[in-house]
Amino acid sequence: MSEQIEAHVTLNPAERFPQWLTADTRPGFQGYLVNPQNLLEFARAARDELGYDLLSSVTGVDYPAEGKLEVVYHAFQTTGGPILNFKVQTPRDNPVVPSLVGIWPGAEFQEREAWDLLGIRFEGHPDLRRILLWEGFDGHPLRKDWKEAYYEDEVKPFKSRWPDGQITRSEDKNPLKDNLRFPAGFDPESWIPDGDEALYKGFRHLMEDSGSELKTDRVILNLGPQHPSTHGVFRMVVVLDGETIVDAKPVVGYLHRNHEKIGERCSWIQNMPFTDRLDYITSMSNNFGYALAVEKLMNVKPPERAEYIRVMMAELTRIDSHLISVGFLLNDLGAFFTPVLYCLEERELILDIFEAVSGSRMMCNYFRFGGVARDLPEGVLEQIKELVEDRLPRKIDELDRYLTKNEIIRVRCENEGVLTAEQAIAYSATGPILRASGVPYDIRKADPYGIYDRMEFDVAVRYHGDIYDRYLVRLDEMRQSIRILRQVLREIPDGPILAGKPQWQVRVPAGESYGRVEGPKGELGFYVVSNGKANPYRYHVRAPSFINLTSLAEMCRGSKIADAIVILGSVDIVLGEVDR
Amino acid sequence: MNGFGIVRGLWVTFKHFLNTYLEDFKAGKKRYFTDEGIRSRMDSKVEGIFTIQYPEEKMPVPEEFRYIPFLVYEEGANGEKNDRCTSCGICAKVCPPQCIWIVRTTDPVTKKPVPAPAEFYIDVDICMNCGLCAEYCPFDAIKMDHDYEIASYNRFKDNIYNKARLSRPVSYYAKIRPVNYAREEAERQAKAAKKAE
């Protein structure tokens, strides 16, 4: 080959676009600052010229001392590599930022979330309503001056607990007198709920003409929130033409507890058990992501044995989560609960291991900054070995034998809920959904963390982007997890499991960091900002289940209503994480 | 061939169904309501149905299993209870949902704090069983219990545990967590030996 391809253009954003970017020079901060008026231009250039095609996370930070709100974006290339971090600052009294939905449609839900929780208006957003809170909510809770009901103190630990801890129950404080606030002019007695009007109005243009030869009406139908097949308290508003879905909109937030505000009140270590409650099926993965984010700031590295234990737990979690996902897919197909229970048998054995190691089956709280909480008890490694060498592969093969060629599954799942690669990337889908659409993006390979760079495994990828391929990707991933587990079990060394001494108060230097792991559901990211104090200044969770829902409407359009349930099942959401 | 998928699916279910009975016959009577039977149903080699018939049968919990915390006291020679707790307050400060309340003892004459708790409350409605208090206690005075049957009739009265309700002797701790107890005792003796030198 005599021809040579030379790279004439630099892909370093700062060299390429000096007119738009200024480096973020605050100590401990990375990335670039962009002016709001240049944001759209820069975002388009970052996507089209630099190749940052997937917008991972959008969130905001409140800086009341400077009178500013900051919107933080993280984008990455689906071909691999580090993350691009850029920020926009806007005055706190009139926060307006151009919306990036036109460039990355995956920003839709995340911008709505930032509007809901921080009150940042995104100009040009097609549907800027509250997403997690209800319409009559007073204020934006992630602003630093907002105080919750039963507010006691700015940060934990509360002073009333020690040394003179006279017990009080929050319930005994009168909730209707001084702990509940309404917007000005709001009277709860005369208020009639009108929150859904705006939602239904968004469908008005679809209601007028059905376009069919028959004179039929289109119907708006609410699926959920109380519905057995929505995997929790989830609601989907669909416009129906007969049985065919014309358009759909997910409505979430019924389990909202403002995880992020709780996180900002808590100290660093206190957050660890709360991360278990995000996606309660994959608590070990959640611990992993949070520990990574904080360790980056603290600049500690876990000892070898801890790294191996971490990977072992994360991969067992992946198998556990995918077993549930495959089982419940059958539930959604109408094979009610018998097949799920066949999958749950092996999950039960995995949970036994988690219980022996961490003390709890699901709320593991096992990772610490710089290691793990305690060493593996005696006999657990042998237990895991037995599972990995015999029981789990047998189960996966059994599922494969029963399901993969089953004609009902093929008829119902093939070519249903299709998301093309372009759409999946545009909608910021990650995890098995992205990989089932033919994009081999796996953070364990693309931006390795822990000791994944030493592990030998393949990225599971399929190319049709339908429900069937998502199922196959999950099956493949379980097999790859077993491969990783075999290597871990072979190589796990002896030694300490924590860097340094156990500390109940850690010192985290000021700065920001974004820790991300390839969770079973997709990219699980933790964005934390520290100001050097005992509590995180900002704590944001990039929840894969939540962001994967952005593409739900796209997948459902044109499907029958019974298939929408299966499509939702194939997205594999956990409402604890969606609503946070 | 249409409909064959249904038949095959039913066959899978039927095989599982038969298997549960087969296993029961193979193991005989000892499969249920015996310790051996319960352990065999928690093993990774188990086949057939492996439900534990709670509450007639109970799953043995692993040593690290954690539930509500309890306070450890040393039994004195004359039956007095010497709390290990010095009311340093680390557990109350590290508790994520802040469910621990401690009243420190003050000397009635000098008004100086005494390293012992006057009262110790845990609101078990709020406790999230995370185990951070037990993990970071420097005196091994608070540990996580194995008793998970704590249902009560009155949540206002019964679910706030005071010191009397929370206290358990060291022997109880040694019984439920033998490995941890042995390790801590060895550490303590090593420390004492070092001090004596």
Side-chain angles (χ1 to χ4, degrees):
Chain A
M1 290 279 281
S2 58
E3 287 170 62
Q4 266 189 333
I5 300 168
E6 278 179 51
H8 289 293
V9 286
T10 168
L11 289 179
N12 182 341
E15 288 170 27
R16 187 73 181 275
F17 306 113
Q19 71 277 31
W20 293 329
L21 299 176
T22 44
D24 193 345
T25 51
R26 289 170 289 181
F29 281 69
Q30 304 97 34
Y32 308 98
L33 289 171
V34 187
N35 263 336
Q37 58 266 29
N38 299 335
L39 179 69
L40 283 174
E41 278 173 293
F42 170 69
R44 190 163 284 120
R47 184 193 66 181
D48 296 340
E49 292 175 38
L50 299 179
Y52 286 93
D53 45 0
L54 203 148
L55 181 68
S56 162
S57 135
V58 181
T59 188
V61 190
D62 184 18
Y63 293 103
E66 296 154 38
K68 273 177 185 154
L69 278 162
E70 186 176 270
V71 187
V72 186
Y73 300 89
H74 288 93
F76 62 76
Q77 304 168 339
T78 49
T79 47
I83 237 166
L84 171 72
N85 171 351
F86 57 99
K87 296 157 195 151
V88 177
Q89 290 187 334
T90 171
R92 202 164 177 272
D93 40 9
N94 183 27
V96 185
V97 169
S99 165
L100 294 187
V101 174
I103 295 163
W104 286 295
E108 187 186 341
F109 280 18
Q110 303 192 64
E111 287 187 346
R112 275 178 71 186
E113 188 193 336
W115 155 246
D116 193 357
L117 301 181
L118 279 150
I120 301 164
R121 269 208 319 284
F122 290 91
E123 225 163 29
H125 190 289
D127 187 21
L128 196 64
R129 289 177 295 117
R130 284 189 184 268
I131 186 163
L132 294 171
L133 298 163
W134 63 297
E135 289 69 19
F137 193 85
D138 185 21
H140 301 282
L142 282 183
R143 297 254 184 137
K144 287 288 170 191
D145 48 9
W146 190 91
K147 292 187 172 51
E148 66 272 27
Y150 307 122
Y151 170 82
E152 190 167 337
D153 209 341
E154 202 55 42
V155 289
K156 290 174 187 173
F158 298 145
K159 299 198 174 42
S160 65
R161 302 301 197 265
W162 180 86
D164 187 27
Q166 296 301 335
I167 189 163
T168 49
R169 291 173 66 97
S170 297
E171 283 182 8
D172 295 339
K173 298 175 188 167
N174 186 349
L176 290 171
K177 224 176 241 167
D178 48 10
N179 266 317
L180 195 63
R181 284 184 299 127
F182 297 110
F186 183 90
D187 177 20
E189 298 294 321
S190 61
W191 181 69
I192 299 160
D194 61 349
D196 289 339
E197 283 307 308
L199 175 65
Y200 298 144
K201 258 182 207 159
F203 287 134
R204 188 170 284 164
H205 64 287
L206 297 169
M207 305 301 288
E208 282 158 5
D209 179 29
S210 73
S212 94
E213 288 173 26
L214 297 167
K215 280 254 168 263
T216 53
D217 278 341
R218 284 182 170 173
V219 184
I220 289 181
L221 183 76
N222 279 294
L223 270 172
Q226 308 295 344
H227 193 283
S229 57
T230 50
H231 298 222
V233 215
F234 172 80
R235 176 171 149 217
M236 186 156 63
V237 184
V238 289
V239 179
L240 291 179
D241 184 9
E243 253 197 276
T244 310
I245 293 174
V246 181
D247 204 354
K249 240 178 208 148
V251 183
V252 299
Y254 293 95
L255 287 177
H256 183 62
R257 55 203 180 274
N258 217 330
H259 182 79
E260 294 175 12
K261 190 78 174 181
I262 296 174
E264 285 162 26
R265 295 259 189 263
C266 281
S267 70
W268 293 97
I269 191 76
Q270 282 174 348
N271 267 336
M272 193 58 87
F274 281 109
T275 60
D276 294 336
R277 276 102 179 140
L278 284 169
D279 179 347
Y280 39 79
I281 291 166
T282 65
S283 62
M284 289 284 194
S285 268
N286 305 349
N287 284 183
F288 205 163
Y290 179 56
L292 276 185
V294 180
E295 277 164 10
K296 257 190 212 169
L297 274 178
M298 288 169 66
N299 204 10
V300 291
K301 207 176 143 25
E304 280 291 282
R305 186 174 171 82
E307 292 273 29
Y308 276 90
I309 295 177
R310 282 177 170 199
V311 168
M312 190 154 69
M313 293 303 147
E315 293 309 314
L316 280 174
T317 305
R318 193 180 315 279
I319 296 174
D320 166 16
S321 169
H322 284 350
L323 276 175
I324 291 193
S325 171
V326 170
F328 274 94
L329 180 69
L330 285 152
N331 229 19
D332 294 333
L333 284 170
F336 207 67
F337 266 106
T338 305
V340 183
L341 290 178
Y342 299 163
C343 293
L344 290 190
E345 286 175 347
E346 268 64 22
R347 172 175 185 256
E348 204 61 24
L349 296 169
I350 294 176
L351 292 191
D352 281 347
I353 287 167
F354 287 169
E355 192 180 23
V357 170
S358 74
S360 193
R361 302 171 82 73
M362 290 171 82
M363 302 294 125
C364 297
N365 182 24
Y366 184 54
F367 288 41
R368 296 288 174 270
F369 310 129
V372 291
R374 60 186 74 79
D375 207 346
L376 301 174
E378 219 170 299
V380 166
L381 266 182
E382 285 67 40
Q383 235 175 314
I384 300 175
K385 225 169 247 169
E386 273 174 31
L387 275 186
V388 167
E389 292 302 332
D390 173 42
R391 183 109 195 181
L392 292 174
R394 193 143 52 88
K395 173 58 88 177
I396 297 166
D397 290 345
E398 191 185 333
L399 288 175
D400 196 1
R401 207 166 52 242
Y402 289 164
L403 305 177
T404 307
K405 285 188 184 154
N406 184 296
E407 68 187 52
I408 301 173
I409 290 183
R410 297 192 63 160
V411 168
R412 290 286 308 272
C413 295
E414 279 180 346
N415 294 322
E416 200 56 68
V418 177
L419 206 60
T420 63
E422 292 77 25
Q423 284 169 333
I425 292 171
Y427 280 108
S428 298
T430 48
I433 302 194
L434 184 65
R435 289 191 286 275
S437 294
V439 183
Y441 187 83
D442 188 320
I443 299 168
R444 293 175 293 172
K445 282 270 191 217
D447 188 10
Y449 53 93
I451 50 161
Y452 279 110
D453 48 350
R454 290 182 221 168
M455 296 293 148
E456 206 173 284
F457 66 100
D458 299 324
V459 176
V461 62
R462 300 272 165 169
Y463 297 93
H464 297 98
D466 53 7
I467 300 171
Y468 188 66
D469 274 10
R470 277 169 219 145
Y471 151 74
L472 287 176
V473 161
R474 292 203 170 99
L475 217 56
D476 293 345
E477 264 179 30
M478 282 196 267
R479 293 206 166 106
Q480 296 302 330
S481 289
I482 298 231
R483 232 175 117 188
I484 296 174
L485 279 168
R486 282 199 176 124
Q487 295 167 54
V488 169
L489 286 169
R490 206 167 49 227
E491 292 163 15
I492 185 166
D494 282 333
I497 43 99
L498 192 68
K501 275 187 178 162
Q503 283 174 309
W504 67 277
Q505 249 180 339
V506 288
R507 191 161 297 145
V508 181
E512 63 167 1
S513 90
Y514 185 69
R516 54 184 193 144
V517 293
E518 183 68 42
K521 311 274 194 301
E523 178 190 337
L524 177 68
F526 286 87
Y527 176 70
V528 289
V529 178
S530 166
N531 56 357
K533 293 204 178 122
N535 308 69
Y537 182 77
R538 179 81 175 90
Y539 164 80
H540 172 72
V541 187
R542 189 245 184 241
S545 305
F546 174 67
I547 293 162
N548 285 350
L549 278 179
T550 319
S551 54
L552 183 69
E554 184 60 44
M555 287 189 259
C556 285
R557 260 173 225 137
S559 298
K560 296 275 185 280
I561 190 126
D563 292 328
I565 300 293
V566 193
I567 292 169
L568 181 68
S570 76
V571 178
D572 192 17
I573 56 167
V574 166
L575 269 298
E577 184 178 73
V578 172
D579 294 343
R580 274 160 300 144
Chain B
M1 194 173 71
N2 276 345
F4 191 61
I6 295 177
V7 176
R8 270 191 14 160
L10 285 174
W11 174 240
V12 172
T13 319
F14 184 66
K15 261 200 324 207
H16 270 262
F17 173 71
L18 275 188
N19 209 7
T20 60
Y21 284 97
L22 257 173
E23 287 299 315
D24 282 3
F25 280 125
K26 252 193 257 169
K29 265 196 176 156
K30 64 177 194 285
R31 189 170 153 90
Y32 294 99
F33 308 114
T34 60
D35 286 347
E36 189 197 352
I38 293 170
R39 247 178 288 122
S40 80
R41 268 174 290 150
M42 292 172 65
D43 196 76
S44 71
K45 290 184 188 67
V46 60
E47 295 295 331
I49 196 160
F50 54 97
T51 314
I52 305 282
Q53 309 285 336
Y54 183 83
E56 287 82 14
E57 295 178 327
K58 278 183 197 165
M59 237 164 127
V61 290
E63 175 163 345
E64 291 300 341
F65 176 73
R66 50 183 150 84
Y67 212 60
I68 304 294
F70 66 94
L71 290 172
V72 185
Y73 66 80
E74 312 264 2
E75 291 147 300
N78 306 322
E80 72 262 28
K81 301 175 177 178
N82 302 322
D83 291 312
R84 279 184 176 181
C85 176
T86 62
S87 74
C88 69
I90 286 181
C91 54
K93 287 176 206 158
V94 80
C95 175
Q98 296 282 292
C99 71
I100 302 178
W101 279 260
I102 305 171
V103 185
R104 192 167 54 188
T105 316
T106 42
D107 193 301
V109 185
T110 59
K111 302 283 178 220
K112 275 188 184 155
V114 178
E119 233 339 325
F120 198 107
Y121 300 103
I122 291 179
D123 189 338
V124 296
D125 286 342
I126 299 177
C127 177
M128 66 201 282
N129 319 341
C130 67
L132 288 183
C133 51
E135 201 176 316
Y136 292 109
C137 178
F139 305 101
D140 297 321
I142 187 165
K143 293 288 167 192
M144 302 304 278
D145 208 342
H146 279 184
D147 179 19
Y148 48 86
E149 290 170 323
I150 58 161
S152 67
Y153 283 100
N154 186 331
R155 70 193 173 102
F156 295 101
K157 215 170 69 239
D158 300 338
N159 283 1
I160 293 177
Y161 288 11
N162 58 12
K163 203 177 110 193
R165 174 81 166 77
L166 288 166
S167 291
R168 293 269 189 288
V170 179
S171 54
Y172 175 77
Y173 172 52
K175 198 184 93 199
I176 62 167
R177 293 177 188 267
V179 178
N180 279 297
Y181 175 74
R183 196 190 58 232
E184 283 159 15
E185 282 306 299
E187 275 169 19
R188 194 162 307 153
Q189 273 160 17
K191 219 181 249 174
K194 216 175 180 186
K195 222 177 184 180
E197 270 173 25

